Amino acid sequence: MKVLVPVKRVVDYNVKVRVKADQTGVETANVKMSMNPFDEIAVEEAMRLKEAGIATEVIAVSCGVAACGETLRTALAIGADRAILVETDADLQPLAVAKLLAAVCKKEGPGLVILGKQAIDDDANQTGQMLAALMGWPQATFASKVTIADGKAQVTREVDGGLETIKINLPAIVTTDLRLNEPRYVTLPNIMKAKKKPMENHKPADLGVDVAPRLKTLKVTEPPKRSAGIKVPDIKTLVDKLKNEAKVI
Amino acid sequence: MASLVIAEHDNASLKGATLNTVTAAVKCGGDVHVLVAGSNCGAAAAAAAQIAGVSKVLVADAPHFADALAENVAAQVVSMAAAYSHILAPATANGKNILPRVAALLDCQQISEIIAVEAPDTFVRPIYAGNALATVQSSDAKKIITVRTTGFDGAAATGGSAAVETVAAQGDAGISAFIGREVAKSERPELAGAKIIVSGGRGMGSGENFKILEPLADKLGAAMGASRAAVDAGFVPNDWQVGQTGKIVAPTLYIAVGISGAIQHLAGMKDSKTIVAINKDPEAPIFSVADYGIVGDLFTLVPELIAELG
């Protein structure tokens, strides 16, 4: 079974993002970029399926600017067998990405697609579910455990108030939550090896997908700042303030 | 045109998140209808009919809707979509699971986790873990929206008298099955809707040490939460997590104990009315958002606080 792992290049999670003065977006020039952390968990999970003899081939896919090739090299260094870059300078929104991924799925015929539940830049949490819809496949979002057997995936999901387990037919889409696994560190020999692994390049037009954005960003602003309050010297003062000033207890 | 709100419910009762979503739907203009898709969900539908501002409740009752499998519920919503200009669901685990599937089937770009409605086609939503707010305008014929519940006050749960109508239930897609659920049993309120939250961080040191927060939570009738650091360290389960990757909360009182205040945690709680921070590091970023901070050892201060509350 082939496993397809879509990965997104995002501003590194350690970077404190700054809103541009002209309110057109956030500053991304000269900012460290990395693989979306939830996608890293997805690549790790795919590798574990390969090591368990369930996946035969792990294919990483990324959609976006040429530099997404670097993110794909990271996926290859973690262990993916080959990569596909769908290259475009267009502003890609989740529906367009899902359409591009659907086109790739139709070419590659994976048994499973694993990707992050959300990207830490636009925080949309849509792509996996949309891809499942476009392919007519079942979905298991926010996965914390995945077991593949008898042509089905049993997935434990992180839901409000606890966990839920579902069983879905393959092929299927799984999106990862934080506790699914802890991604391995990439080693230098594997980074060297990754440079020799194959990477295909496509354009959205080759895949027959219209990626025109549906949402227009009118402005991007800083959230209202919460000002720091006071430090109280002792618990007695704290309780007094909560009772008589804030009136919350 | 009208708006359709996908109700969050457990068949027997309606979840509070539905009320906030109704408020957002009202702001989009037009009539507000609520879809209750479930199994033996008459009680939830009756509750939905009481919500102020709702003009019609549509009930799709079938065994394969019992556990809100995305494949089945999305197909139901799509079958009813023609009559609506806006389709909204709360940005809960359930809403986030189902609605993008609906959006893709309708060839619409969903607008996730809105916190304000500027116009029927223009919405504000946080990006980058709440470090920026984007105002976006949709060119799609239908607006498919998830609603961050902390961004909208809940509609009144009573006072309405909507008509309840049964709609034809779509069939079981047959590609997914519900196996089971492990719901943490707790006497305490649910984190997402709690008025007071007591939250612990890495500073708690261990899962065992979280026990010292329990009497405090009990005394205040509070829900218990945690930072991602505490969850990652294995102290407490993930569904306690407050933050961008966990739950977004906005209680009246948020007490952060041993939480340094990483950006991703602040994104999940900075809209709380009053924030109290207890931390031994006077430079901890949590103090920059706290209304009342107290510097010291939590293992001394928490028992003192419990005693002082009497």
Side-chain angles (χ1 to χ4, degrees):
Chain A
M1 172 174 87
K2 285 188 196 176
V3 176
L4 196 76
V5 189
V7 295
K8 186 174 185 185
R9 177 177 182 265
V10 298
V11 171
D12 187 84
Y13 75 99
N14 280 313
V15 171
K16 170 107 179 77
V17 300
R18 295 194 191 288
V19 172
K20 286 185 190 169
D22 65 2
Q23 299 196 335
T24 55
V26 304
E27 200 54 72
T28 52
N30 303 315
V31 165
K32 187 185 175 200
M33 305 294 282
S34 301
M35 185 188 296
N36 179 39
F38 290 106
D39 297 342
E40 224 178 309
I41 295 171
V43 179
E44 174 66 36
E45 195 64 17
M47 290 318 301
R48 290 184 188 191
L49 289 173
K50 191 173 178 205
E51 285 154 6
I54 293 164
T56 50
E57 188 183 30
V58 174
I59 309 156
V61 193
S62 193
C63 305
V65 295
C68 294
E70 294 163 22
T71 312
L72 286 170
R73 288 292 166 204
T74 305
L76 294 170
I78 298 171
D81 297 294
R82 61 189 171 92
I84 300 170
L85 173 63
V86 182
E87 195 185 328
T88 172
D89 291 332
D91 163 29
L92 289 181
Q93 294 177 350
L95 180 63
V97 174
K99 287 179 180 177
L100 293 171
L101 294 175
V104 172
C105 278
K106 281 171 192 153
K107 282 170 71 108
E108 296 287 345
L112 188 67
V113 180
I114 311 181
L115 69 167
K117 71 168 181 179
Q118 83 188 64
I120 61 166
D121 49 4
D122 63 9
D123 289 327
N125 194 334
Q126 297 176 12
T127 306
Q129 297 90 312
M130 287 184 152
L131 175 59
L134 297 175
M135 296 303 292
W137 293 352
Q139 66 186 52
T141 51
F142 326 141
S144 65
K145 190 175 178 218
V146 177
T147 316
I148 309 284
D150 308 326
K152 294 188 185 220
Q154 179 153 323
V155 181
T156 303
R157 307 177 52 231
E158 306 262 4
V159 296
D160 297 333
L163 298 171
E164 167 182 306
T165 303
I166 58 171
K167 200 176 246 187
I168 53 176
N169 294 358
L170 298 179
I173 312 289
V174 169
T175 76
T176 62
D177 215 322
L178 284 174
R179 292 197 302 177
L180 182 59
N181 61 50
E182 245 178 76
R184 66 195 65 184
Y185 286 102
V186 174
T187 60
L188 189 60
N190 284 342
I191 292 172
M192 301 312 289
K193 264 191 240 167
K195 291 184 178 163
K196 298 204 178 75
K197 290 183 180 175
M199 190 184 301
E200 279 175 51
N201 196 310
H202 294 283
K203 297 279 189 289
D206 311 339
L207 298 171
V209 175
D210 172 9
V211 296
R214 309 288 188 87
L215 294 181
K216 186 176 162 197
T217 300
L218 302 181
K219 64 175 178 180
V220 174
T221 55
E222 295 244 5
K225 284 247 182 318
R226 196 181 173 105
S227 51
I230 55 164
K231 290 222 175 80
V232 294
D234 52 38
I235 288 290
K236 210 173 160 45
T237 317
L238 174 65
V239 171
D240 178 63
K241 295 271 186 202
L242 290 177
K243 274 186 180 151
N244 302 315
E245 193 175 86
K247 297 187 168 62
V248 287
I249 55 171
Chain B
M1 287 291 263
S3 293
L4 182 67
V5 169
I6 319 294
E8 178 96 1
H9 67 90
D10 61 6
N11 297 308
S13 64
L14 204 63
K15 303 277 176 168
T18 311
L19 302 174
N20 310 80
T21 310
V22 165
T23 302
V26 168
K27 292 192 175 176
C28 292
D31 285 352
V32 177
H33 298 179
V34 173
L35 168 66
V36 179
S39 177
N40 294 319
C41 55
Q50 302 287 310
I51 303 173
V54 172
S55 61
K56 200 190 281 181
V57 174
L58 301 157
V59 186
D61 202 316
H64 54 272
F65 293 140
D67 300 293
L69 289 167
E71 298 76 14
N72 294 341
V73 179
Q76 181 66 37
V77 176
V78 169
S79 75
M80 301 164 59
Y84 298 99
S85 58
H86 294 71
I87 300 177
L88 306 92
T92 53
N94 195 36
K96 291 194 275 200
N97 186 40
I98 292 167
L99 213 62
R101 198 169 174 109
V102 172
L105 292 172
L106 296 171
D107 194 32
C108 293
Q109 174 54 58
Q110 177 180 297
I111 309 129
S112 292
E113 304 224 13
I114 63 161
I115 56 168
V117 178
E118 300 274 290
D121 65 350
T122 306
F123 311 91
V124 181
R125 57 179 304 265
I127 54 174
Y128 290 92
N131 286 300
L133 300 179
T135 304
V136 296
Q137 186 175 36
S138 166
S139 59
D140 283 321
K142 287 184 197 304
K143 320 302 177 199
I144 314 293
I145 297 165
T146 62
V147 175
R148 181 170 287 190
T149 53
T150 59
F152 298 86
D153 294 332
T158 54
S161 56
V164 179
E165 281 178 23
T166 302
V167 294
Q170 298 296 301
D172 184 350
I175 50 177
S176 55
F178 178 79
I179 303 292
R181 187 173 285 132
E182 288 170 54
V183 177
K185 283 209 168 54
S186 171
E187 298 295 305
R188 300 201 175 87
E190 254 190 83
L191 193 52
K195 295 249 182 319
I196 301 181
I197 294 172
V198 174
S199 227
R202 200 200 302 270
M204 296 305 298
S206 71
E208 186 63 23
N209 287 345
F210 262 78
K211 289 216 168 79
I212 73 161
L213 299 181
E214 287 176 7
L216 179 60
D218 289 341
K219 195 144 273 180
L220 294 166
M224 288 184 66
S227 68
R228 177 167 166 187
V231 171
D232 281 352
F235 298 171
V236 292
N238 192 41
D239 55 298
W240 286 33
Q241 192 196 138
V242 172
Q244 184 63 16
T245 50
K247 292 204 171 57
I248 313 288
V249 299
T252 316
L253 174 60
Y254 188 90
I255 304 182
V257 184
I259 291 178
S260 63
I263 294 169
Q264 98 92 24
H265 185 73
L266 301 184
M269 46 65 84
K270 66 181 168 49
D271 295 326
S272 306
K273 182 163 174 280
T274 300
I275 297 173
V276 170
I278 299 176
N279 204 296
K280 65 177 185 224
D281 174 10
E283 304 301 323
I286 189 78
F287 289 118
S288 70
V289 299
D291 299 280
Y292 305 111
I294 183 158
V295 179
D297 179 13
L298 68 94
F299 296 102
T300 323
L301 293 171
V302 170
E304 261 187 61
L305 177 55
I306 295 164
E308 185 66 28
L309 289 168

